[in-house]
């Protein structure tokens, strides 16, 4: 994913797990326009990361990525404010379009 984002000319900050992502977000919150997270990660999954980020910044924009089927729990996350859901494997065009749509309507 970072290769795709670099190819699309986005600046990328990377974390190895949900806990590291939360620390990175806290450090760079003012410059982060969008968070992309895998649903399944070590130490803190994407759901928990999203809830922690919402406490830090209520209007955080987040795309959740997963290779697992979409469930009722996932629909609940969308209602809580996940900006988009990307199912793996995804194409570069799909990633580009999704990011563009979210950032175009950013407050």
């Amino acid at each position: 994913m970072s290769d795709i984002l670099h190819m699309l000319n986005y600046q990328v900050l990377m974390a190895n797990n949900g806990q590291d992502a939360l620390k990175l977000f806290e450090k760079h919150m003012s410059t982060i326009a969008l968070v992309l997270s895998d649903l399944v990660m070590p130490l803190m999954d994407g759901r928990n990361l999203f809830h922690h980020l919402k406490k830090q910044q209520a209007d955080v924009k987040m795309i959740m990525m997963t290779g697992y089927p979409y469930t009722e729990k996932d629909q609940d996350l969308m209602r809580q404010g996940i900006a988009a859901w990307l199912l793996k494997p995804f194409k570069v065009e799909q990633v580009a379009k999704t990011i563009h749509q979210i950032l175009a309507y950013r407050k």
Side-chain angles (χ1 to χ4, degrees), residues 39-40 47 64 66-80 82 85 87:
L39 182 62
V40 178
R47 282 183 183 89
M64 192 69 72
T66 186
Y68 293 99
Y70 193 72
T71 66
E72 180 66 34
K73 284 174 84 173
D74 304 328
Q75 290 175 356
D76 188 46
L77 275 178
M78 292 296 286
R79 286 188 290 271
Q80 294 173 33
I82 292 289
W85 201 268
L87 290 174

Side-chain angles (χ1 to χ4, degrees), residues 1-8 35-40 63-68 84-99:
M1 178 55 79
S2 67
D3 290 341
I4 291 172
L5 295 171
H6 281 117
M7 184 181 70
L8 295 170
V35 176
L36 283 80
S37 176
D38 207 304
L39 182 62
V40 178
I63 295 174
M64 192 69 72
M65 302 176 293
T66 186
Y68 293 99
W85 201 268
L86 285 175
L87 290 174
K88 297 176 190 177
F90 31 74
K91 298 180 180 178
V92 173
E93 297 82 16
Q94 180 186 15
V95 173
K97 181 180 177 181
T98 301
I99 291 172

Side-chain angles (χ1 to χ4, degrees), residues 33-36 59-63 81 83 102 105-107:
L34 179 65
V35 176
L36 283 80
D59 64 345
V60 65
K61 304 286 187 245
M62 185 170 177
I63 295 174
I102 292 166
Y105 296 105
R106 197 172 129 201
K107 291 180 180 180

Side-chain angles (χ1 to χ4, degrees), residues 9-49:
N9 293 317
Y10 290 108
Q11 183 179 358
V12 178
L13 300 173
M14 290 182 25
N16 292 323
N17 58 61
Q19 288 181 347
D20 288 349
L22 183 58
K23 291 175 189 171
L24 195 62
F25 184 82
E26 289 169 350
K27 185 176 180 180
H28 299 280
M29 184 181 335
S30 64
T31 61
I32 294 176
L34 179 65
V35 176
L36 283 80
S37 176
D38 207 304
L39 182 62
V40 178
M41 297 183 293
L43 304 179
M44 181 187 296
D45 67 12
R47 282 183 183 89
N48 285 323
L49 175 61

